[in-house]
Amino acid sequence: MSPAVGKPIARIEGRAKVMGRARFAAEYPIRGVVHAVPVLSTVSSGRISAIDTAEAQASPGVLKVLTHLNAPKLPYLQRKDKPVTDPSVGEPFRPLRSDMIFFDRQYVALVVATTLEQAEAAAAKVRVSYQRARGSLTFDSALPGAHQPTEGKASAPYRRGVPEAAYAASTVMVDQRYVVPTEHHNPLETHATIAVWNGNKLTLYDKSQWVQNVQRHAALMFGIPYANVRVLSPFMGGGFGSALRAWPHIDLAALAAKVVGKPVKLSLSREAMYGTVGFRPETRMRVRLGADRSGKIGAVMHEAWAQTSTYEEFTENTLGATRLMYDVPNLSTTYRVVPMNVSTPTYMRGPGEVTGMFALETAMDELAVKLNMDPVQLRLINEPSIDPESKLPWSVRSYIQAMRVGAERFGWSRRTPAVGSMRDGGLRIGLGMAGGTYPGNRNPASARVLVNIDGTVTVQSAGTDIGPGTYTSMAQVAADAVGVDVGQVKVELADSKLPYSFPQGGSALFASLSPAVQEAGRQLRRQLAELAVADRQSPLFGLPAALGTGDGQVFVTADPARAESIRVLLGRSLQPLEARVTSSPSGKPTHSIHSFGAHFVELSVDPDVYEIRVRRIVSTFGVGRVINPRTAHSQAVGGMIGGVGMALLEHTDTDPRNGRRMNANLAEYLIPVHADIPVLEPAYLDEVDPFIGPLGAKGLGELPIVGVAAAISNAVYHATGTRIRELPITLDKLLQEHG
Ligand code: MOS
């Protein structure tokens, strides 16, 4: 039997998704469900001075209007295991707790009515007056309040060598500032929660990347045992990090259901998605690179100023990639948080790395230009032999290979280096490249695997599948471990009552959960052999020989014709076989585990109106073993498209006068459509990383977006000679540069 791992199997929930049978949170048909619509603040800082709900309360179908004045005060017990998805400093925003306004589109009231239309109509009749406060509404005005993060390893000040002196002694220098704007995730499925109380027990149908986090959050909110709360999130229409935390609309839905004594559905509008479900924080950076004439980089100083809210200190790994990407003896990174009147930012695909690498990889291109050196060559000569930060050997570092293979696949050698030297008719052609990296993360996770009496296999874990194909990859791992066809495996995920798992986040779930599934499968393989040997009716009864499993059979390893099918063997038994395994990464790391990739971009720029059309992106990734080339391809393409959006389209605009998000909708917050997307050619290197875990696979969900924006920016420079250092690269910015 050939292994299922490595095969391009179509995602097993794919048919249910395209047939509309895969239910998203808001789609559960709950008898008697009523609808909640939040009222959103129109100011970003200050207090509610008056709130008039009389007209709303008297509107048809309205069951209740909740505000900070009448909402029951919930216990919100302190959580001992602060969730890894939450900032470690500060207190989360609790809705309807006080008259304070911290950010634009904050929940200030909740209308519950029999129908959605009645709730929406009544919500429009809630009258709120505000007493505005000055607040920190713009990045510039907030900058004086910038400070180093209170804690956090990744964002702590870092230095090695003597960066200032080494920089000053360099012969070729780059000193530039780069900006990544606020971006919102904008998954097509908006966040939604249906809350159903049954006595003192609560069920939440929620959009969540971490159901057991929501479970604990809801239990502590009401002061009830964890076991009284069940959270389900089996399918998701895109998460990208926006569903990692337990956001306050969950509180509102659960509270409203308690108050009105009926199941409540709260489905956020697209506009409300710009309020309290996170965003990529605006980050301003300064990068200094100092090199000698040969291109050897002696000094790097990378500083970041990143926005956070006034009530929590969100930080991300913006500068981690800089510390390990190149062999630089003198290097410092400095992170500062900039508290503003915004809701707390959160992780958004490739969080931190994608931001920092836009700056670093653009600066590298600027250095290559100054050195008059090919940008691939510059990177090759600064390749570190070990991780320069941890001093650990690399597990598998395939950056050089990704660049070499990528350059070959792309046809980089036809690039003529001079700016504007490549043409296609009247269009300027730009060719650019950049690198990417992402940590190979692994967390504890548990799985239960069953061999059922019909010979099928069931895999269970509370881990979620937000789209990468976890249902499919876990089926592949279990099929190989137990010895059955992948079609015989059913996977159940994202139910809080199933064995504990960390979130699907940080590209870590496969590496975290697969060892538990594999080990449980192997235990079942042994149990099957023992069962056969002990069963008088089995042709394998009493055999001293070594037994194996495969193709749905238990067989004698030395004589595979002597076999019994698992289905027949289990059919005589009255109960399924079961194994439950928790797997954790082992102790102190011995190797530095990261994925690497390289992007090569070709685009055209119209020299009259500066319209940019990306024509082709060739990306090559080293992520360890590829478990499923088909779902991996879809992850790569998704990440690369995200990179195109980041480079050319995405930015949340904020009104400097009042902190209002001005484009809180999909008409004005631009994301790529099909016509924006060129030929995408991702490929994975053939490799295995034995240090991440037994399957040898590092995560691949986030790496493909890291570096894309820099590669596009570098190609725009190659075409035009203009460097746009503030994303997105829009034609108005190019036109401004060219008068
Ligand atoms: Mo990812 S940004 O950890 O969902």
mmCIF file of all heavy atoms in Angstrom, residues 38-43 46-56 65-69 96 98-101 106-111 122-132:
data_model
loop_
_atom_site.group_PDB
_atom_site.id
_atom_site.type_symbol
_atom_site.label_atom_id
_atom_site.label_comp_id
_atom_site.label_asym_id
_atom_site.label_seq_id
_atom_site.Cartn_x
_atom_site.Cartn_y
_atom_site.Cartn_z
ATOM 1 N N PRO A 38 -25.699 44.860 17.022
ATOM 2 C CA PRO A 38 -25.041 45.845 17.872
ATOM 3 C C PRO A 38 -25.142 47.255 17.296
ATOM 4 O O PRO A 38 -25.197 47.442 16.080
ATOM 5 C CB PRO A 38 -23.584 45.374 17.896
ATOM 6 C CG PRO A 38 -23.402 44.600 16.635
ATOM 7 C CD PRO A 38 -24.746 44.064 16.236
ATOM 8 N N VAL A 39 -25.157 48.233 18.202
ATOM 9 C CA VAL A 39 -25.035 49.633 17.805
ATOM 10 C C VAL A 39 -23.571 50.005 17.996
ATOM 11 O O VAL A 39 -22.980 49.695 19.037
ATOM 12 C CB VAL A 39 -25.943 50.534 18.675
ATOM 13 C CG1 VAL A 39 -25.779 52.005 18.292
ATOM 14 C CG2 VAL A 39 -27.398 50.092 18.554
ATOM 15 N N LEU A 40 -22.995 50.665 16.989
ATOM 16 C CA LEU A 40 -21.561 50.948 16.999
ATOM 17 C C LEU A 40 -21.315 52.423 17.269
ATOM 18 O O LEU A 40 -22.018 53.287 16.734
ATOM 19 C CB LEU A 40 -20.947 50.573 15.648
ATOM 20 C CG LEU A 40 -21.266 49.160 15.142
ATOM 21 C CD1 LEU A 40 -20.709 48.956 13.738
ATOM 22 C CD2 LEU A 40 -20.725 48.105 16.088
ATOM 23 N N SER A 41 -20.297 52.713 18.068
ATOM 24 C CA SER A 41 -20.000 54.110 18.386
ATOM 25 C C SER A 41 -19.577 54.861 17.126
ATOM 26 O O SER A 41 -19.021 54.278 16.193
ATOM 27 C CB SER A 41 -18.883 54.192 19.427
ATOM 28 O OG SER A 41 -17.640 53.859 18.840
ATOM 29 N N THR A 42 -19.839 56.148 17.126
ATOM 30 C CA THR A 42 -19.449 56.993 15.996
ATOM 31 C C THR A 42 -18.273 57.895 16.357
ATOM 32 O O THR A 42 -17.840 58.697 15.547
ATOM 33 C CB THR A 42 -20.635 57.862 15.530
ATOM 34 O OG1 THR A 42 -21.111 58.595 16.660
ATOM 35 C CG2 THR A 42 -21.761 56.998 14.971
ATOM 36 N N VAL A 43 -17.797 57.781 17.582
ATOM 37 C CA VAL A 43 -16.583 58.503 17.963
ATOM 38 C C VAL A 43 -15.572 57.479 18.473
ATOM 39 O O VAL A 43 -15.925 56.330 18.736
ATOM 40 C CB VAL A 43 -16.848 59.590 19.031
ATOM 41 C CG1 VAL A 43 -17.933 60.541 18.564
ATOM 42 C CG2 VAL A 43 -17.207 58.976 20.377
ATOM 43 N N GLY A 46 -13.663 59.084 24.306
ATOM 44 C CA GLY A 46 -14.527 59.912 25.140
ATOM 45 C C GLY A 46 -15.477 59.078 25.969
ATOM 46 O O GLY A 46 -15.125 57.974 26.405
ATOM 47 N N ARG A 47 -16.690 59.624 26.154
ATOM 48 C CA ARG A 47 -17.692 58.949 26.981
ATOM 49 C C ARG A 47 -19.055 59.053 26.328
ATOM 50 O O ARG A 47 -19.319 59.977 25.574
ATOM 51 C CB ARG A 47 -17.801 59.639 28.356
ATOM 52 C CG ARG A 47 -16.670 59.346 29.277
ATOM 53 C CD ARG A 47 -16.820 60.143 30.579
ATOM 54 N NE ARG A 47 -15.628 59.959 31.394
ATOM 55 C CZ ARG A 47 -15.404 58.880 32.148
ATOM 56 N NH1 ARG A 47 -16.297 57.907 32.213
ATOM 57 N NH2 ARG A 47 -14.292 58.773 32.841
ATOM 58 N N ILE A 48 -19.897 58.106 26.683
ATOM 59 C CA ILE A 48 -21.304 58.207 26.304
ATOM 60 C C ILE A 48 -21.943 59.176 27.305
ATOM 61 O O ILE A 48 -21.921 58.922 28.510
ATOM 62 C CB ILE A 48 -21.996 56.829 26.383
ATOM 63 C CG1 ILE A 48 -21.336 55.847 25.422
ATOM 64 C CG2 ILE A 48 -23.487 56.970 26.103
ATOM 65 C CD1 ILE A 48 -21.752 54.405 25.638
ATOM 66 N N SER A 49 -22.481 60.298 26.814
ATOM 67 C CA SER A 49 -23.089 61.238 27.756
ATOM 68 C C SER A 49 -24.573 60.947 27.945
ATOM 69 O O SER A 49 -25.134 61.205 29.006
ATOM 70 C CB SER A 49 -22.866 62.678 27.295
ATOM 71 O OG SER A 49 -23.268 62.823 25.953
ATOM 72 N N ALA A 50 -25.218 60.402 26.908
ATOM 73 C CA ALA A 50 -26.632 60.034 27.042
ATOM 74 C C ALA A 50 -26.938 58.966 26.023
ATOM 75 O O ALA A 50 -26.331 58.918 24.943
ATOM 76 C CB ALA A 50 -27.524 61.251 26.806
ATOM 77 N N ILE A 51 -27.873 58.112 26.388
ATOM 78 C CA ILE A 51 -28.260 57.063 25.453
ATOM 79 C C ILE A 51 -29.762 56.845 25.600
ATOM 80 O O ILE A 51 -30.261 56.631 26.701
ATOM 81 C CB ILE A 51 -27.407 55.781 25.681
ATOM 82 C CG1 ILE A 51 -27.670 54.742 24.605
ATOM 83 C CG2 ILE A 51 -27.573 55.192 27.053
ATOM 84 C CD1 ILE A 51 -26.510 53.754 24.450
ATOM 85 N N ASP A 52 -30.464 57.012 24.495
ATOM 86 C CA ASP A 52 -31.926 56.950 24.514
ATOM 87 C C ASP A 52 -32.373 55.735 23.713
ATOM 88 O O ASP A 52 -32.215 55.680 22.493
ATOM 89 C CB ASP A 52 -32.489 58.249 23.914
ATOM 90 C CG ASP A 52 -34.014 58.233 23.858
ATOM 91 O OD1 ASP A 52 -34.617 57.213 24.277
ATOM 92 O OD2 ASP A 52 -34.589 59.224 23.390
ATOM 93 N N THR A 53 -32.932 54.766 24.430
ATOM 94 C CA THR A 53 -33.332 53.519 23.775
ATOM 95 C C THR A 53 -34.850 53.371 23.704
ATOM 96 O O THR A 53 -35.343 52.328 23.280
ATOM 97 C CB THR A 53 -32.751 52.315 24.550
ATOM 98 O OG1 THR A 53 -33.249 52.356 25.895
ATOM 99 C CG2 THR A 53 -31.232 52.344 24.572
ATOM 100 N N ALA A 54 -35.590 54.395 24.128
ATOM 101 C CA ALA A 54 -37.045 54.252 24.257
ATOM 102 C C ALA A 54 -37.697 53.892 22.924
ATOM 103 O O ALA A 54 -38.505 52.960 22.846
ATOM 104 C CB ALA A 54 -37.639 55.547 24.816
ATOM 105 N N GLU A 55 -37.345 54.615 21.879
ATOM 106 C CA GLU A 55 -37.967 54.381 20.583
ATOM 107 C C GLU A 55 -37.598 52.990 20.056
ATOM 108 O O GLU A 55 -38.434 52.267 19.506
ATOM 109 C CB GLU A 55 -37.519 55.463 19.597
ATOM 110 C CG GLU A 55 -38.428 55.602 18.403
ATOM 111 C CD GLU A 55 -37.869 56.561 17.350
ATOM 112 O OE1 GLU A 55 -36.981 57.372 17.700
ATOM 113 O OE2 GLU A 55 -38.312 56.460 16.199
ATOM 114 N N ALA A 56 -36.332 52.618 20.248
ATOM 115 C CA ALA A 56 -35.880 51.292 19.808
ATOM 116 C C ALA A 56 -36.619 50.205 20.577
ATOM 117 O O ALA A 56 -37.108 49.226 20.002
ATOM 118 C CB ALA A 56 -34.371 51.162 20.007
ATOM 119 N N VAL A 65 -33.283 45.905 24.600
ATOM 120 C CA VAL A 65 -32.167 46.749 24.177
ATOM 121 C C VAL A 65 -31.207 46.833 25.360
ATOM 122 O O VAL A 65 -31.574 47.302 26.437
ATOM 123 C CB VAL A 65 -32.632 48.164 23.765
ATOM 124 C CG1 VAL A 65 -31.442 48.995 23.309
ATOM 125 C CG2 VAL A 65 -33.692 48.088 22.679
ATOM 126 N N LEU A 66 -30.020 46.343 25.151
ATOM 127 C CA LEU A 66 -29.019 46.337 26.224
ATOM 128 C C LEU A 66 -28.027 47.471 26.017
ATOM 129 O O LEU A 66 -27.583 47.721 24.888
ATOM 130 C CB LEU A 66 -28.251 45.007 26.233
ATOM 131 C CG LEU A 66 -29.012 43.765 26.714
ATOM 132 C CD1 LEU A 66 -28.232 42.502 26.374
ATOM 133 C CD2 LEU A 66 -29.277 43.851 28.211
ATOM 134 N N THR A 67 -27.705 48.161 27.105
ATOM 135 C CA THR A 67 -26.652 49.181 27.087
ATOM 136 C C THR A 67 -25.820 48.994 28.362
ATOM 137 O O THR A 67 -26.148 48.142 29.196
ATOM 138 C CB THR A 67 -27.233 50.612 27.098
ATOM 139 O OG1 THR A 67 -27.817 50.843 28.396
ATOM 140 C CG2 THR A 67 -28.292 50.796 26.024
ATOM 141 N N HIS A 68 -24.804 49.844 28.525
ATOM 142 C CA HIS A 68 -24.009 49.735 29.759
ATOM 143 C C HIS A 68 -24.847 50.070 30.990
ATOM 144 O O HIS A 68 -24.475 49.730 32.101
ATOM 145 C CB HIS A 68 -22.775 50.645 29.681
ATOM 146 C CG HIS A 68 -23.101 52.109 29.734
ATOM 147 N ND1 HIS A 68 -23.602 52.803 28.649
ATOM 148 C CD2 HIS A 68 -23.012 53.008 30.748
ATOM 149 C CE1 HIS A 68 -23.794 54.071 28.990
ATOM 150 N NE2 HIS A 68 -23.447 54.214 30.241
ATOM 151 N N LEU A 69 -25.996 50.738 30.775
ATOM 152 C CA LEU A 69 -26.821 51.135 31.915
ATOM 153 C C LEU A 69 -27.659 49.982 32.463
ATOM 154 O O LEU A 69 -27.968 49.953 33.650
ATOM 155 C CB LEU A 69 -27.734 52.301 31.516
ATOM 156 C CG LEU A 69 -27.004 53.585 31.100
ATOM 157 C CD1 LEU A 69 -27.963 54.599 30.506
ATOM 158 C CD2 LEU A 69 -26.259 54.170 32.314
ATOM 159 N N LEU A 96 -20.264 46.798 26.968
ATOM 160 C CA LEU A 96 -21.385 47.265 27.789
ATOM 161 C C LEU A 96 -21.055 47.264 29.282
ATOM 162 O O LEU A 96 -21.891 46.930 30.114
ATOM 163 C CB LEU A 96 -22.653 46.428 27.532
ATOM 164 C CG LEU A 96 -23.077 46.236 26.072
ATOM 165 C CD1 LEU A 96 -24.414 45.511 25.987
ATOM 166 C CD2 LEU A 96 -23.142 47.553 25.317
ATOM 167 N N SER A 98 -19.134 50.035 30.692
ATOM 168 C CA SER A 98 -19.036 51.398 31.200
ATOM 169 C C SER A 98 -19.369 52.370 30.070
ATOM 170 O O SER A 98 -19.644 51.955 28.944
ATOM 171 C CB SER A 98 -17.623 51.678 31.726
ATOM 172 O OG SER A 98 -16.772 52.043 30.650
ATOM 173 N N ASP A 99 -19.332 53.651 30.399
ATOM 174 C CA ASP A 99 -19.651 54.667 29.392
ATOM 175 C C ASP A 99 -18.415 55.077 28.583
ATOM 176 O O ASP A 99 -18.489 55.941 27.723
ATOM 177 C CB ASP A 99 -20.268 55.902 30.072
ATOM 178 C CG ASP A 99 -19.322 56.535 31.089
ATOM 179 O OD1 ASP A 99 -18.226 55.960 31.340
ATOM 180 O OD2 ASP A 99 -19.668 57.597 31.635
ATOM 181 N N MET A 100 -17.281 54.450 28.854
ATOM 182 C CA MET A 100 -16.041 54.848 28.185
ATOM 183 C C MET A 100 -16.006 54.385 26.724
ATOM 184 O O MET A 100 -16.379 53.259 26.415
ATOM 185 C CB MET A 100 -14.833 54.232 28.903
ATOM 186 C CG MET A 100 -14.621 54.698 30.322
ATOM 187 S SD MET A 100 -13.884 56.338 30.353
ATOM 188 C CE MET A 100 -12.283 55.975 29.628
ATOM 189 N N ILE A 101 -15.500 55.285 25.871
ATOM 190 C CA ILE A 101 -15.285 54.920 24.463
ATOM 191 C C ILE A 101 -13.774 54.882 24.212
ATOM 192 O O ILE A 101 -13.064 55.860 24.457
ATOM 193 C CB ILE A 101 -15.941 55.946 23.516
ATOM 194 C CG1 ILE A 101 -17.456 56.018 23.769
ATOM 195 C CG2 ILE A 101 -15.644 55.594 22.057
ATOM 196 C CD1 ILE A 101 -18.224 54.763 23.424
ATOM 197 N N GLN A 106 -17.070 50.979 18.491
ATOM 198 C CA GLN A 106 -17.167 50.166 19.700
ATOM 199 C C GLN A 106 -18.632 49.819 19.930
ATOM 200 O O GLN A 106 -19.517 50.618 19.626
ATOM 201 C CB GLN A 106 -16.598 50.989 20.864
ATOM 202 C CG GLN A 106 -16.645 50.301 22.212
ATOM 203 C CD GLN A 106 -16.069 51.208 23.295
ATOM 204 O OE1 GLN A 106 -15.060 51.889 23.103
ATOM 205 N NE2 GLN A 106 -16.719 51.215 24.459
ATOM 206 N N TYR A 107 -18.900 48.633 20.487
ATOM 207 C CA TYR A 107 -20.289 48.268 20.813
ATOM 208 C C TYR A 107 -20.797 49.168 21.933
ATOM 209 O O TYR A 107 -20.213 49.196 23.020
ATOM 210 C CB TYR A 107 -20.375 46.812 21.270
ATOM 211 C CG TYR A 107 -19.801 45.823 20.274
ATOM 212 C CD1 TYR A 107 -18.802 44.931 20.656
ATOM 213 C CD2 TYR A 107 -20.259 45.781 18.956
ATOM 214 C CE1 TYR A 107 -18.274 44.021 19.753
ATOM 215 C CE2 TYR A 107 -19.733 44.874 18.048
ATOM 216 C CZ TYR A 107 -18.739 44.003 18.448
ATOM 217 O OH TYR A 107 -18.211 43.100 17.559
ATOM 218 N N VAL A 108 -21.880 49.911 21.673
ATOM 219 C CA VAL A 108 -22.441 50.760 22.728
ATOM 220 C C VAL A 108 -23.853 50.326 23.119
ATOM 221 O O VAL A 108 -24.380 50.766 24.131
ATOM 222 C CB VAL A 108 -22.447 52.259 22.335
ATOM 223 C CG1 VAL A 108 -21.021 52.788 22.281
ATOM 224 C CG2 VAL A 108 -23.155 52.486 21.005
ATOM 225 N N ALA A 109 -24.476 49.482 22.314
ATOM 226 C CA ALA A 109 -25.790 48.942 22.666
ATOM 227 C C ALA A 109 -26.007 47.694 21.836
ATOM 228 O O ALA A 109 -25.314 47.463 20.836
ATOM 229 C CB ALA A 109 -26.901 49.961 22.387
ATOM 230 N N LEU A 110 -26.963 46.879 22.279
ATOM 231 C CA LEU A 110 -27.286 45.667 21.535
ATOM 232 C C LEU A 110 -28.800 45.546 21.495
ATOM 233 O O LEU A 110 -29.461 45.577 22.537
ATOM 234 C CB LEU A 110 -26.681 44.435 22.215
ATOM 235 C CG LEU A 110 -26.848 43.137 21.429
ATOM 236 C CD1 LEU A 110 -25.888 43.109 20.237
ATOM 237 C CD2 LEU A 110 -26.605 41.920 22.323
ATOM 238 N N VAL A 111 -29.345 45.438 20.288
ATOM 239 C CA VAL A 111 -30.793 45.290 20.129
ATOM 240 C C VAL A 111 -31.096 43.836 19.797
ATOM 241 O O VAL A 111 -30.503 43.270 18.877
ATOM 242 C CB VAL A 111 -31.326 46.215 19.018
ATOM 243 C CG1 VAL A 111 -32.823 46.000 18.821
ATOM 244 C CG2 VAL A 111 -31.037 47.664 19.365
ATOM 245 N N ALA A 122 -34.575 48.689 14.597
ATOM 246 C CA ALA A 122 -34.586 49.274 15.941
ATOM 247 C C ALA A 122 -33.203 49.808 16.317
ATOM 248 O O ALA A 122 -33.091 50.847 16.981
ATOM 249 C CB ALA A 122 -35.056 48.234 16.959
ATOM 250 N N ALA A 123 -32.146 49.119 15.892
ATOM 251 C CA ALA A 123 -30.790 49.580 16.213
ATOM 252 C C ALA A 123 -30.556 50.975 15.650
ATOM 253 O O ALA A 123 -29.858 51.797 16.250
ATOM 254 C CB ALA A 123 -29.753 48.594 15.677
ATOM 255 N N ALA A 124 -31.169 51.261 14.500
ATOM 256 C CA ALA A 124 -31.013 52.587 13.886
ATOM 257 C C ALA A 124 -31.710 53.667 14.702
ATOM 258 O O ALA A 124 -31.485 54.859 14.485
ATOM 259 C CB ALA A 124 -31.554 52.553 12.461
ATOM 260 N N LYS A 125 -32.573 53.262 15.637
ATOM 261 C CA LYS A 125 -33.318 54.244 16.429
ATOM 262 C C LYS A 125 -32.711 54.494 17.806
ATOM 263 O O LYS A 125 -33.250 55.285 18.584
ATOM 264 C CB LYS A 125 -34.773 53.767 16.592
ATOM 265 C CG LYS A 125 -35.529 53.727 15.269
ATOM 266 C CD LYS A 125 -36.918 53.168 15.472
ATOM 267 C CE LYS A 125 -37.623 52.968 14.138
ATOM 268 N NZ LYS A 125 -38.768 52.059 14.283
ATOM 269 N N VAL A 126 -31.635 53.818 18.118
ATOM 270 C CA VAL A 126 -30.954 54.093 19.396
ATOM 271 C C VAL A 126 -30.181 55.398 19.237
ATOM 272 O O VAL A 126 -29.410 55.561 18.289
ATOM 273 C CB VAL A 126 -29.999 52.938 19.776
ATOM 274 C CG1 VAL A 126 -29.197 53.290 21.021
ATOM 275 C CG2 VAL A 126 -30.784 51.644 19.980
ATOM 276 N N ARG A 127 -30.450 56.336 20.135
ATOM 277 C CA ARG A 127 -29.791 57.645 20.040
ATOM 278 C C ARG A 127 -28.697 57.739 21.094
ATOM 279 O O ARG A 127 -28.966 57.625 22.289
ATOM 280 C CB ARG A 127 -30.795 58.775 20.284
ATOM 281 C CG ARG A 127 -32.023 58.722 19.420
ATOM 282 C CD ARG A 127 -31.915 59.629 18.199
ATOM 283 N NE ARG A 127 -33.033 59.355 17.286
ATOM 284 C CZ ARG A 127 -32.956 58.554 16.219
ATOM 285 N NH1 ARG A 127 -31.826 57.955 15.912
ATOM 286 N NH2 ARG A 127 -34.023 58.338 15.459
ATOM 287 N N VAL A 128 -27.491 57.948 20.642
ATOM 288 C CA VAL A 128 -26.360 58.022 21.572
ATOM 289 C C VAL A 128 -25.702 59.388 21.437
ATOM 290 O O VAL A 128 -25.445 59.850 20.320
ATOM 291 C CB VAL A 128 -25.311 56.921 21.278
ATOM 292 C CG1 VAL A 128 -24.261 56.853 22.387
ATOM 293 C CG2 VAL A 128 -25.980 55.564 21.093
ATOM 294 N N SER A 129 -25.483 60.066 22.565
ATOM 295 C CA SER A 129 -24.683 61.304 22.541
ATOM 296 C C SER A 129 -23.365 61.037 23.242
ATOM 297 O O SER A 129 -23.293 60.238 24.173
ATOM 298 C CB SER A 129 -25.390 62.446 23.263
ATOM 299 O OG SER A 129 -26.766 62.315 23.154
ATOM 300 N N TYR A 130 -22.370 61.736 22.757
ATOM 301 C CA TYR A 130 -21.025 61.495 23.276
ATOM 302 C C TYR A 130 -20.416 62.778 23.782
ATOM 303 O O TYR A 130 -20.677 63.872 23.269
ATOM 304 C CB TYR A 130 -20.117 60.936 22.174
ATOM 305 C CG TYR A 130 -20.621 59.643 21.569
ATOM 306 C CD1 TYR A 130 -21.408 59.663 20.416
ATOM 307 C CD2 TYR A 130 -20.304 58.425 22.149
ATOM 308 C CE1 TYR A 130 -21.876 58.482 19.853
ATOM 309 C CE2 TYR A 130 -20.766 57.236 21.592
ATOM 310 C CZ TYR A 130 -21.549 57.277 20.438
ATOM 311 O OH TYR A 130 -22.008 56.113 19.893
ATOM 312 N N GLN A 131 -19.572 62.607 24.766
ATOM 313 C CA GLN A 131 -18.704 63.694 25.184
ATOM 314 C C GLN A 131 -17.325 63.285 24.680
ATOM 315 O O GLN A 131 -16.725 62.341 25.177
ATOM 316 C CB GLN A 131 -18.730 63.781 26.702
ATOM 317 C CG GLN A 131 -18.028 64.983 27.252
ATOM 318 C CD GLN A 131 -17.937 64.867 28.768
ATOM 319 O OE1 GLN A 131 -18.685 64.130 29.418
ATOM 320 N NE2 GLN A 131 -16.990 65.592 29.328
ATOM 321 N N ARG A 132 -16.874 63.961 23.642
ATOM 322 C CA ARG A 132 -15.620 63.526 23.025
ATOM 323 C C ARG A 132 -14.412 63.903 23.863
ATOM 324 O O ARG A 132 -14.417 64.931 24.542
ATOM 325 C CB ARG A 132 -15.453 64.194 21.656
ATOM 326 C CG ARG A 132 -16.445 63.713 20.639
ATOM 327 C CD ARG A 132 -16.026 64.228 19.294
ATOM 328 N NE ARG A 132 -17.092 64.022 18.335
ATOM 329 C CZ ARG A 132 -16.872 63.892 17.032
ATOM 330 N NH1 ARG A 132 -15.641 63.982 16.568
ATOM 331 N NH2 ARG A 132 -17.867 63.704 16.215
#
